mmCIF file of all heavy atoms in Angstrom:
data_model
loop_
_atom_site.group_PDB
_atom_site.id
_atom_site.type_symbol
_atom_site.label_atom_id
_atom_site.label_comp_id
_atom_site.label_asym_id
_atom_site.label_seq_id
_atom_site.Cartn_x
_atom_site.Cartn_y
_atom_site.Cartn_z
ATOM 1 N N GLN A 17 -29.644 -1.891 -21.739
ATOM 2 C CA GLN A 17 -30.974 -2.019 -22.377
ATOM 3 C C GLN A 17 -31.439 -3.397 -22.084
ATOM 4 O O GLN A 17 -31.131 -4.370 -22.803
ATOM 5 C CB GLN A 17 -30.849 -1.782 -23.927
ATOM 6 C CG GLN A 17 -30.180 -0.439 -24.289
ATOM 7 C CD GLN A 17 -30.966 0.746 -23.781
ATOM 8 O OE1 GLN A 17 -32.182 0.768 -23.922
ATOM 9 N NE2 GLN A 17 -30.280 1.772 -23.284
ATOM 10 N N TYR A 52 -30.095 -2.066 -5.844
ATOM 11 C CA TYR A 52 -30.393 -0.699 -6.235
ATOM 12 C C TYR A 52 -29.425 -0.203 -7.319
ATOM 13 O O TYR A 52 -29.764 0.811 -8.002
ATOM 14 C CB TYR A 52 -30.338 0.213 -5.007
ATOM 15 C CG TYR A 52 -28.900 0.599 -4.588
ATOM 16 C CD1 TYR A 52 -28.241 1.702 -5.221
ATOM 17 C CD2 TYR A 52 -28.260 -0.102 -3.582
ATOM 18 C CE1 TYR A 52 -26.956 2.025 -4.826
ATOM 19 C CE2 TYR A 52 -26.942 0.257 -3.222
ATOM 20 C CZ TYR A 52 -26.325 1.285 -3.849
ATOM 21 O OH TYR A 52 -25.029 1.629 -3.488
ATOM 22 N N PRO A 66 -29.064 9.297 -11.461
ATOM 23 C CA PRO A 66 -28.328 8.128 -12.021
ATOM 24 C C PRO A 66 -26.843 8.361 -12.005
ATOM 25 O O PRO A 66 -26.333 9.443 -11.887
ATOM 26 C CB PRO A 66 -28.919 8.080 -13.415
ATOM 27 C CG PRO A 66 -29.229 9.495 -13.760
ATOM 28 C CD PRO A 66 -29.740 10.097 -12.486
ATOM 29 N N PRO A 121 -16.459 -8.924 11.893
ATOM 30 C CA PRO A 121 -15.684 -8.757 10.687
ATOM 31 C C PRO A 121 -16.072 -7.418 10.003
ATOM 32 O O PRO A 121 -17.220 -7.052 10.004
ATOM 33 C CB PRO A 121 -16.073 -9.920 9.829
ATOM 34 C CG PRO A 121 -16.495 -11.000 10.814
ATOM 35 C CD PRO A 121 -17.152 -10.265 11.940
ATOM 36 N N SER A 155 -39.997 -12.135 0.488
ATOM 37 C CA SER A 155 -39.428 -12.561 -0.741
ATOM 38 C C SER A 155 -37.918 -12.291 -0.794
ATOM 39 O O SER A 155 -37.432 -11.495 -0.002
ATOM 40 C CB SER A 155 -40.088 -11.953 -1.922
ATOM 41 O OG SER A 155 -40.067 -10.552 -1.888
ATOM 42 N N ALA A 156 -37.166 -13.007 -1.658
ATOM 43 C CA ALA A 156 -35.721 -12.975 -1.695
ATOM 44 C C ALA A 156 -35.259 -13.247 -0.280
ATOM 45 O O ALA A 156 -34.395 -12.607 0.317
ATOM 46 C CB ALA A 156 -35.166 -11.636 -2.165
ATOM 47 N N ALA A 157 -35.784 -14.333 0.357
ATOM 48 C CA ALA A 157 -35.607 -14.612 1.770
ATOM 49 C C ALA A 157 -34.189 -14.952 2.160
ATOM 50 O O ALA A 157 -33.790 -14.833 3.322
ATOM 51 C CB ALA A 157 -36.576 -15.715 2.193
ATOM 52 N N GLY A 227 -43.276 -8.293 -9.433
ATOM 53 C CA GLY A 227 -43.739 -9.162 -10.537
ATOM 54 C C GLY A 227 -44.673 -10.249 -10.062
ATOM 55 O O GLY A 227 -45.550 -9.980 -9.201
ATOM 56 N N GLY A 247 -38.093 -3.627 -2.627
ATOM 57 C CA GLY A 247 -37.393 -3.828 -3.905
ATOM 58 C C GLY A 247 -38.256 -4.550 -4.924
ATOM 59 O O GLY A 247 -39.204 -5.234 -4.550
ATOM 60 N N ALA A 290 -27.927 -0.228 16.886
ATOM 61 C CA ALA A 290 -27.700 -0.686 18.266
ATOM 62 C C ALA A 290 -28.470 -1.984 18.481
ATOM 63 O O ALA A 290 -27.959 -2.963 19.117
ATOM 64 C CB ALA A 290 -28.146 0.404 19.242
ATOM 65 N N ARG A 302 -28.442 -14.947 12.256
ATOM 66 C CA ARG A 302 -27.464 -15.674 11.433
ATOM 67 C C ARG A 302 -27.238 -14.892 10.185
ATOM 68 O O ARG A 302 -28.112 -14.223 9.635
ATOM 69 C CB ARG A 302 -27.983 -17.088 11.160
ATOM 70 C CG ARG A 302 -28.067 -17.938 12.390
ATOM 71 C CD ARG A 302 -28.562 -19.344 12.067
ATOM 72 N NE ARG A 302 -28.588 -20.218 13.228
ATOM 73 C CZ ARG A 302 -27.582 -20.990 13.544
ATOM 74 N NH1 ARG A 302 -26.501 -20.995 12.857
ATOM 75 N NH2 ARG A 302 -27.662 -21.768 14.650
ATOM 76 N N PRO A 315 -18.380 -6.609 -11.880
ATOM 77 C CA PRO A 315 -19.497 -6.635 -12.867
ATOM 78 C C PRO A 315 -20.221 -7.981 -12.891
ATOM 79 O O PRO A 315 -21.471 -7.997 -12.874
ATOM 80 C CB PRO A 315 -18.823 -6.337 -14.224
ATOM 81 C CG PRO A 315 -17.606 -5.521 -13.869
ATOM 82 C CD PRO A 315 -17.129 -6.107 -12.582
ATOM 83 N N LEU A 318 -22.405 -8.428 -9.807
ATOM 84 C CA LEU A 318 -23.676 -7.694 -9.882
ATOM 85 C C LEU A 318 -24.627 -8.436 -10.798
ATOM 86 O O LEU A 318 -25.816 -8.536 -10.457
ATOM 87 C CB LEU A 318 -23.489 -6.267 -10.331
ATOM 88 C CG LEU A 318 -24.717 -5.414 -10.444
ATOM 89 C CD1 LEU A 318 -25.424 -5.303 -9.098
ATOM 90 C CD2 LEU A 318 -24.430 -4.082 -11.012
ATOM 91 N N GLY A 328 -27.083 -14.982 0.305
ATOM 92 C CA GLY A 328 -26.788 -13.978 1.336
ATOM 93 C C GLY A 328 -26.264 -12.668 0.750
ATOM 94 O O GLY A 328 -26.485 -12.314 -0.372
ATOM 95 N N VAL A 332 -17.616 -7.952 -2.765
ATOM 96 C CA VAL A 332 -16.362 -8.102 -3.525
ATOM 97 C C VAL A 332 -15.193 -7.886 -2.571
ATOM 98 O O VAL A 332 -15.141 -6.840 -1.892
ATOM 99 C CB VAL A 332 -16.248 -7.121 -4.701
ATOM 100 C CG1 VAL A 332 -14.976 -7.365 -5.463
ATOM 101 C CG2 VAL A 332 -17.497 -7.181 -5.631
#
Side-chain angles (χ1 to χ4, degrees):
Q17 304 299 317
Y52 79 84
S155 58
R302 293 180 177 269
L318 179 62
V332 182

